Amino acid sequence: MAELRLARRSSSLPLTGLMGVVLLVFVFVASASRDVVSENNKTWRDPAGETRGDSHHQTNSTAHKKAFPVLSFNYEHVKKPFEISLWILLALLMKLGFHIIPGVQNIVPESCLLIGVGLLVGGIIKAIGGEAPVLDTKLFFLYLLPPIILDAGYFLPIRPFTENMGTILVFAVVGTLWNTFFIGGMIFAVCRLEGGQLAGVDPLSCLLFGTIVSAVDPVAVLAVFEEIHINELLHILVFGESLLNDAVTVVLYHLFEEFTHEGTVTVVDAVLGVVCFFVVSLGGILVGAIYGVLGAFTSRFTSHTRVIEPLFVFLYSYMAYLSAEVFHLSGIMSLIACGVVMRPYVEANVSHKSYTTIKYFLKMWSSVSETLIFIFLGVSTVAGPHAWNWTFVIVTVVLCLVSRVLGVIGLTYIINKFRIVKLTKKDQFIVAYGGLRGAIAFSLGFLLTNSKMKNMFLTAIITVIFFTVIVQGMTIRPLVELLAVKKKKESKRSINEEIHTQFLDHLLTGIEDICGHYGHHHWKDKLNRFNKAYVKKWLIAGERSTEPQLISFYNKMEMKQAMMLVESGSAAKLPTIVSSVSMQNIQPRGPARHRAIPSISKSREQEIRKILRANLQKTRQRLRSYSRHDLMIDPFEDNVSEVRFRRQRVEMERRMSHYLTVPANRQETPPVRKVCFESEHKVYTYDDSKSPLGRTAEPDPSPPDAVSLLNESSQRANQSSEHRAKRNDELRAKVPDEKEEQDQLKLSRCLSDPGPNKEEDLS
Amino acid sequence: MGALQSLPGKPEYVDLAETTGFSFEQIGILHNRFKQLSHNEETLLRDHFNKIPDLACNPIRLQIIEAFFDRRNFRQNGEGTVEEIGFKEFLVVMSHFKPPSLHMTQEQRESIRRDKLRFLFNMHDADNDGTITLEEYRHVVEELLSFSEALEKDTAKSIADAAMLEVASISMGHMEPDEFYEGITFEHFLKLLNGFEIESKMNIRFLNMDTTTLCK
């Protein structure tokens, strides 16, 4: 939007004005579309006045023969999707606006702003006199919540999660139980003491209320914690707890709801409740795991239909969620289990593009969902019927805080006895302070059927949510700074760390075996070996199934580096460490290298190869022809690339030592389906007196990118680790005689490369 | 398994507890294991380690076993290797895997970190010259990958090369084309694994061990 850009250059006042206009449009649409959400009786109002026009046409022509309607208007036809889309669009524009307005981002977390917008919209609607839409429970649980949970589950950092699993489980299960009973019990006591309006509250309702209000909410936690970049341990503790306490919440909620209908509780019911908890949680995980395995198995066969790969991931996961909900199992745990189980195998099977697609779609959907949830929360607050009772609300808020703090402290005391890395006081504070409530509590409250207490409960729940999200959400960032809590380390994973992580794993397993102690590492090692021996064979396609983790990590890293090169393009600096250390610095000094022109040393070869590769990766690719279902590789654009070549060669020479040494020519499937930036390699041999001869497998005159210097050993190595390449049509020529002498210069080049003379400049 | 009564006298334990930092209970458990491994002899040989069945599928078992016989890990500033070790040396090597306790100052944590990283360094630096050369590092990576099939020697080489390059970049910053990076010294090693938080990772729970599992 050009006006936004303009506005940014000037002051932010016109920008805020624009936001206000967007807000007003939002309000109109909201009031017009509330029926979509709340399924009430509607009085449709005209938001933009475009209906006026055509009624004239109609009235004019009724008198005469009915002329053919050139322009007609039929809003009813598209009403529902139109309004939904408009809602979402405006919500996202709001979100966009917050990021553009400078300064706001640092003080107030986004979730608060969105709630604020919701409140504003709701308030305006109410002021106008319309009826605001309320957050429909079905909409929330079936459409808005799953993307967020799937996103969280699919990208769950497995290592810290499993390392801290015990702690997380204790917090989730025992902590939630403690919260429920403490809050429920105390509220009941207070109600008894207070009397009056509150006297009629029975203990079971109080316990039900306690259940709803005590669960830490993953949406709110995600929204707030994402912005404060706290260290991994704390993040996974709070976040893991918010995910796993869903099972407890589900069981307790249904339990207490049943009881309130029945009126009495027996011991048998209590025992059944405990059994139910195990069934719900383990059943949910099982359902998720089954769907996960199915999804992984399906992805094994998708090598010929890459474009629909991401859909499998999404659909299997969503089915897992819905299937679990059918049996009243924990849908959230099912979704998490599905994502966790599916991920390693799917990632090994899908193409790089599909991986990116999955990642971005998940992020996109979860972002949209989150935005909508918070806005709806604000609107529903204004809309819903409220029964404000000072005592009840204040006591609830205070009790939530107190019980959370007490719970965390008490549990940490016990947990620390079993942990190697103990939780410090600072950690405990953050865990306690990070226990935010959110939309799940609201939706569950909305589901309550007992209308007598419902309004009061709902008011209290909303107050707690607002308090935690707004007050705690806003203050957690300065507190984190104040307490100097360790932040997330920003460094990227290096190959050394990966090597040492693996090394340490094996070392610790070995030491445990020497001690004769079947501990944590031993079982993990056993699981890994089982995975490698049996599961991977079934679920991963082709020869990737035997690829060790270190190699796949290394390949991924090479890929990332290469992509970074492509993306940085003509940018001035690379985000890596500037150093001029290159391969030759670390190679042991062998026999003297012949610097005769035809023969170059291996390290030089590698450098040249890198340069060529880097240059050629930058060429712009154009589609040869357009087909909706194919992603074609691009022909080489001679003109543009040549100029850029020359320009960038100098730059590249400067930076050659940044790159990792070995080419990892990861290829994807046959080129027809994919756009390869680092694709087929053609190998030519070159005699210094003659022009380049071609010795290729395919006489295609316009090859896609790519060249690599022939380095036989690396080629062999890459061929072995490049298992997919074997499935390609052999566009890559294999040099039959691999034992060429070092004297003969072997350069491979792409056709558009300017003549051979240029190469000598590099040496 | 608190079979304290059958163990040698307490004074020896006190001494050991002081040097290594283990508690009496832990020392007792480890002593039982020692006797199990050595078939009630006084010293352990490499053969005894080789006979542990679980260790057979560990790709780096040779390095692990060597670490027990490496004088540099005995905290007495010795060098070279020995052929057999007694219980004291066994315990000292094990003490490298003790977790740091909760109430420790920053310097203590730092020294524990150095200690553990030193242990790792010694494992990599097989020829004891104070640096990890490219060859030694390549050997490490090859060992790590030795249990996977379809491995080409050159993949391991390239990974090791890349890793070495990274170390050199981090440690040396700028190097002339003619300079040669000798190898990873201990200081570079420390710098490399700075963010690794090894004091939280390289630990074994000695507290609730039961050594009822068989070794052979």
Side-chain angles (χ1 to χ4, degrees):
Chain A
M1 285 166 76
E3 44 231 3
L4 279 178
R5 251 180 274 134
L6 262 158
R8 207 185 329 183
R9 279 197 229 114
S10 47
S11 70
S12 58
L13 197 52
L15 194 59
T16 340
L18 183 71
M19 293 277 297
V21 168
V22 174
L23 201 57
L24 277 174
V25 180
F26 201 178
V27 168
F28 278 127
V29 174
S31 63
S33 67
R34 72 209 177 294
D35 52 336
V36 169
V37 185
S38 64
E39 290 144 347
N40 293 338
N41 236 346
K42 43 215 178 252
T43 52
W44 174 68
R45 272 195 294 190
D46 168 10
E50 57 235 51
T51 51
R52 310 271 183 240
D54 282 64
S55 41
H56 289 302
H57 289 264
Q58 298 286 3
T59 41
N60 278 350
S61 40
T62 38
H64 315 282
K65 172 187 75 118
K66 197 157 187 278
F68 180 74
V70 175
L71 190 66
S72 53
F73 184 84
N74 186 1
Y75 184 64
E76 291 297 323
H77 185 56
V78 293
K79 181 161 163 191
K80 195 152 179 174
F82 190 87
E83 282 166 353
I84 295 178
S85 308
L86 207 50
W87 253 109
I88 300 179
L89 185 62
L90 292 173
L92 293 176
L93 284 174
M94 287 283 124
K95 188 168 163 134
L96 188 68
F98 292 143
H99 283 272
I100 294 184
I101 296 180
V104 172
Q105 196 57 17
N106 298 331
I107 312 172
V108 189
E110 206 176 273
S111 41
C112 302
L113 289 171
L114 289 170
I115 292 186
V117 166
L119 282 174
L120 210 58
V121 170
I124 298 177
I125 294 179
K126 221 172 186 173
I128 297 179
E131 220 186 296
V134 188
L135 182 61
D136 182 30
T137 306
K138 195 166 118 173
L139 174 74
F140 176 74
F141 276 116
L142 290 185
Y143 299 111
L144 290 180
L145 189 61
I148 302 181
I149 303 295
L150 180 60
D151 178 37
Y154 195 78
F155 292 108
L156 196 66
I158 290 295
R159 198 170 255 269
F161 188 70
T162 47
E163 278 172 14
N164 296 296
M165 179 70 95
T167 314
I168 294 177
L169 274 175
V170 169
F171 275 131
V173 177
V174 181
T176 312
L177 282 172
W178 154 259
N179 277 346
T180 306
F181 285 104
F182 184 74
I183 294 179
M186 296 297 278
I187 285 278
F188 179 62
V190 166
C191 287
R192 277 274 176 258
L193 288 173
E194 182 71 12
Q197 190 187 3
L198 303 173
V201 180
D202 58 311
L204 278 174
S205 300
C206 285
L207 281 175
L208 189 54
F209 176 72
T211 311
I212 299 176
V213 92
S214 65
V216 179
D217 185 78
V219 178
V221 165
L222 262 178
V224 169
F225 270 54
E226 213 152 62
E227 299 180 358
I228 59 179
H229 298 300
I230 208 163
N231 71 52
E232 209 175 41
L233 172 66
L234 289 178
H235 186 256
I236 200 70
L237 279 182
V238 182
F239 183 61
E241 179 196 343
S242 69
L243 289 176
L244 293 184
N245 68 19
D246 180 61
V248 183
T249 311
V250 163
V251 170
L252 285 178
Y253 184 82
H254 288 296
L255 207 64
F256 289 135
E257 221 182 3
E258 286 291 316
F259 290 166
T260 41
H261 286 272
E262 307 216 349
T264 54
V265 185
T266 63
V267 179
V268 178
D269 291 329
V271 170
L272 280 181
V274 173
V275 172
C276 182
F277 166 71
F278 284 108
V279 168
V280 161
S281 50
L282 294 175
I285 294 178
L286 189 67
V287 169
I290 292 176
Y291 275 99
V293 169
L294 280 177
F297 191 64
T298 311
S299 74
R300 187 179 160 185
F301 302 106
T302 56
S303 51
H304 298 287
T305 46
R306 292 280 183 198
V307 272
I308 57 173
E309 266 172 347
L311 264 183
F312 283 118
V313 172
F314 303 142
L315 287 176
Y316 273 113
S317 314
Y318 195 46
M319 294 282 286
Y321 179 77
L322 294 175
S323 310
E325 288 288 326
V326 165
F327 297 103
H328 270 203
L329 305 173
S330 166
I332 289 185
M333 293 186 84
S334 159
L335 207 45
I336 303 279
C338 184
V340 164
V341 166
M342 196 165 31
R343 186 181 177 195
Y345 308 109
V346 162
E347 281 195 355
N349 282 331
V350 298
S351 68
H352 187 75
K353 287 240 173 317
S354 297
Y355 169 71
T356 311
T357 308
I358 294 175
K359 184 164 109 170
Y360 274 97
F361 261 82
L362 283 178
K363 299 274 174 221
M364 182 184 78
W365 272 327
S366 68
S367 182
V368 171
S369 280
E370 202 178 281
T371 311
L372 280 176
I373 287 177
F374 282 116
I375 290 190
F376 264 122
L377 209 50
V379 174
S380 312
T381 309
V382 180
H386 291 298
W388 181 270
N389 184 318
W390 277 102
T391 330
F392 192 73
V393 171
I394 302 281
V395 165
T396 309
V397 173
V398 168
L399 275 181
C400 280
L401 281 175
V402 167
S403 82
R404 175 86 182 153
V405 170
L406 285 179
V408 168
I409 293 182
L411 286 175
T412 316
Y413 179 73
I414 302 175
I415 288 173
N416 268 345
K417 293 209 201 305
F418 298 99
R419 279 181 67 89
I420 294 184
V421 180
K422 319 274 183 197
L423 293 176
T424 63
K425 289 257 183 310
K426 263 194 248 175
D427 295 337
Q428 291 175 38
F429 175 74
I430 296 290
V431 171
Y433 206 67
L436 309 175
R437 295 3 182 221
I440 290 185
F442 179 79
S443 307
L444 284 178
F446 214 71
L447 277 177
L448 287 175
T449 49
N450 180 4
S451 62
K452 182 170 66 141
M453 291 295 122
K454 178 174 165 179
N455 296 338
M456 192 167 69
F457 284 175
L458 218 47
T459 315
I461 292 173
I462 289 187
T463 317
V464 172
I465 296 177
F466 272 41
F467 182 79
T468 55
V469 172
I470 296 181
V471 173
Q472 282 178 241
M474 273 211 281
T475 53
I476 200 168
R477 193 197 300 231
L479 276 174
V480 162
E481 306 276 341
L482 196 69
L483 292 175
V485 179
K486 255 195 301 187
K487 294 283 192 95
K488 183 159 68 171
K489 56 177 176 95
E490 289 300 335
S491 59
K492 52 188 185 327
R493 277 300 279 278
S494 72
I495 185 89
N496 275 299
E497 288 193 358
E498 178 69 19
I499 290 177
H500 281 101
T501 309
Q502 294 232 346
F503 191 81
L504 211 53
D505 273 346
H506 289 299
L507 174 63
L508 291 173
T509 311
I511 298 284
E512 276 189 2
D513 290 332
I514 291 179
C515 290
H517 167 53
Y518 279 174
H520 183 66
H521 290 98
H522 180 93
W523 294 116
K524 202 159 76 160
D525 189 58
K526 270 217 160 81
L527 185 65
N528 278 339
R529 274 189 279 131
F530 172 72
N531 189 18
K532 201 156 78 160
Y534 300 107
V535 183
K536 273 191 183 171
K537 287 204 169 53
W538 278 101
L539 296 181
I540 298 185
E543 295 167 27
R544 296 288 308 278
S545 54
T546 52
E547 192 178 66
Q549 194 193 346
L550 190 58
I551 293 183
S552 51
F553 175 83
Y554 179 66
N555 284 335
K556 270 200 201 124
M557 220 174 50
E558 279 273 294
M559 176 86 93
K560 260 191 232 160
Q561 281 265 344
M563 291 194 74
M564 220 160 61
L565 285 177
V566 176
E567 280 170 21
S568 68
S570 41
K573 48 171 134 167
L574 229 58
T576 52
I577 305 171
V578 179
S579 83
S580 63
V581 179
S582 64
M583 270 306 292
Q584 62 190 104
N585 290 116
I586 62 174
Q587 293 287 4
R589 294 233 168 84
R593 311 185 199 130
H594 307 287
R595 299 285 279 207
I597 289 301
S599 86
I600 56 176
S601 66
K602 202 156 102 166
S603 54
R604 275 296 184 201
E605 255 187 60
Q606 286 175 331
E607 286 165 10
I608 295 173
R609 185 188 346 110
K610 279 180 291 190
I611 294 167
L612 290 176
R613 188 161 52 107
N615 273 330
L616 292 162
Q617 283 163 0
K618 287 183 176 40
T619 58
R620 182 165 303 140
Q621 294 170 336
R622 242 186 10 186
L623 291 177
R624 202 199 313 258
S625 68
Y626 177 68
S627 155
R628 217 160 59 158
H629 300 291
D630 287 347
L631 300 170
M632 304 281 278
I633 47 168
D634 315 326
F636 215 54
E637 251 248 287
D638 281 6
N639 308 339
V640 178
S641 53
E642 191 139 350
V643 170
R644 290 175 71 174
F645 252 58
R646 295 200 182 106
R647 218 181 343 118
Q648 285 169 352
R649 187 180 314 257
V650 177
E651 247 191 326
M652 275 300 123
E653 262 185 272
R654 256 198 305 122
R655 292 188 268 162
M656 46 188 211
S657 57
H658 291 163
Y659 314 147
L660 291 178
T661 58
V662 184
N665 26 336
R666 279 216 39 186
Q667 295 192 22
E668 335 247 74
T669 50
V672 172
R673 302 308 169 109
K674 308 221 41 55
V675 177
C676 300
F677 58 85
E678 185 191 41
S679 53
E680 299 69 17
H681 297 265
K682 293 209 186 348
V683 174
Y684 296 72
T685 50
Y686 170 69
D687 290 327
D688 40 355
S689 47
K690 305 180 199 147
S691 48
L693 310 167
R695 211 204 310 167
T696 63
E698 183 204 289
D700 186 351
S702 57
D705 279 340
V707 292
S708 75
L709 273 182
L710 177 62
N711 185 340
E712 321 107 312
S713 49
S714 300
Q715 182 110 19
R716 237 185 296 131
N718 288 323
Q719 279 181 2
S720 73
S721 64
E722 209 29 74
H723 304 297
R724 288 226 201 106
K726 293 185 186 143
R727 288 196 255 127
N728 294 348
D729 321 34
E730 284 303 310
L731 292 180
R732 187 193 342 186
K734 296 198 187 92
V735 178
D737 44 355
E738 316 225 80
K739 318 273 191 274
E740 309 234 21
E741 311 88 308
Q742 204 62 2
D743 302 44
Q744 188 173 14
L745 174 64
K746 295 177 287 255
L747 283 179
S748 46
R749 43 188 79 237
C750 197
L751 280 181
S752 74
D753 207 12
N757 301 325
K758 285 286 183 178
E759 292 320 304
E760 276 139 57
D761 293 344
L762 297 173
S763 344
Chain B
M1 266 205 126
L4 286 172
Q5 66 274 19
S6 62
L7 297 168
K10 275 296 185 68
E12 189 177 309
Y13 273 30
V14 173
D15 188 33
L16 286 173
E18 267 174 46
T19 27
T20 58
F22 282 123
S23 71
F24 288 147
E25 196 184 36
Q26 290 168 334
I27 296 180
I29 294 176
L30 285 172
H31 199 122
N32 280 332
R33 180 62 178 169
F34 183 85
K35 288 203 283 196
Q36 219 182 359
L37 285 176
S38 68
H39 307 291
N40 279 320
E41 289 170 31
E42 284 299 315
T43 57
L44 273 181
L45 304 169
R46 287 194 174 79
D47 271 340
H48 293 128
F49 283 104
N50 282 331
K51 295 205 185 108
I52 304 176
D54 294 316
L55 213 49
C57 35
N58 198 318
I60 55 170
R61 73 177 172 291
L62 288 173
Q63 272 102 323
I64 298 178
I65 296 177
E66 270 313 306
F68 274 90
F69 292 93
D70 189 344
R71 278 236 193 90
R72 289 174 295 174
N73 293 331
F74 293 164
R75 294 185 206 261
Q76 284 164 348
N77 297 325
E79 287 199 351
T81 59
V82 294
E83 287 305 314
E84 50 182 25
I85 54 171
F87 180 55
K88 178 156 187 248
E89 287 81 26
F90 182 74
L91 210 57
V92 170
V93 172
M94 282 298 185
S95 71
H96 285 94
F97 295 93
K98 253 178 61 69
S101 61
L102 185 55
H103 309 287
M104 271 196 167
T105 65
Q106 196 55 29
E107 294 112 40
Q108 282 174 322
R109 272 187 192 273
E110 192 53 40
S111 78
I112 287 192
R113 260 192 80 232
R114 283 186 79 99
D115 201 41
K116 294 187 197 274
L117 284 174
R118 186 84 224 180
F119 186 84
L120 279 187
F121 189 82
N122 290 343
M123 280 184 83
H124 294 326
D125 183 19
D127 62 0
N128 201 3
D129 61 356
T131 57
I132 305 177
T133 60
L134 188 60
E135 279 308 316
E136 284 169 345
Y137 213 31
R138 278 186 189 153
H139 185 65
V140 170
V141 178
E142 272 164 21
E143 290 292 307
L144 268 184
L145 295 174
S146 59
F147 271 34
S148 47
E149 315 121 21
L151 173 75
E152 293 284 340
K153 207 163 171 359
D154 295 304
T155 319
K157 206 152 73 79
S158 24
I159 294 180
D161 288 349
M164 200 71 173
L165 193 58
E166 196 183 81
V167 180
S169 306
I170 292 178
S171 319
M172 305 290 280
H174 176 84
M175 283 179 83
E176 296 303 318
D178 290 334
E179 281 181 72
F180 177 59
Y181 184 64
E182 292 293 337
I184 311 179
T185 62
F186 184 54
E187 291 308 318
H188 292 168
F189 194 66
L190 279 180
K191 204 166 154 191
L192 178 71
L193 292 179
N194 203 12
F196 200 52
E197 285 190 7
I198 196 151
E199 66 268 19
S200 345
K201 294 194 184 171
M202 186 164 145
N203 297 314
I204 300 270
R205 289 169 200 273
F206 288 111
L207 195 54
N208 305 325
M209 278 168 42
D210 57 61
T211 53
T212 51
T213 54
L214 330 154
C215 68
K216 190 194 74 153

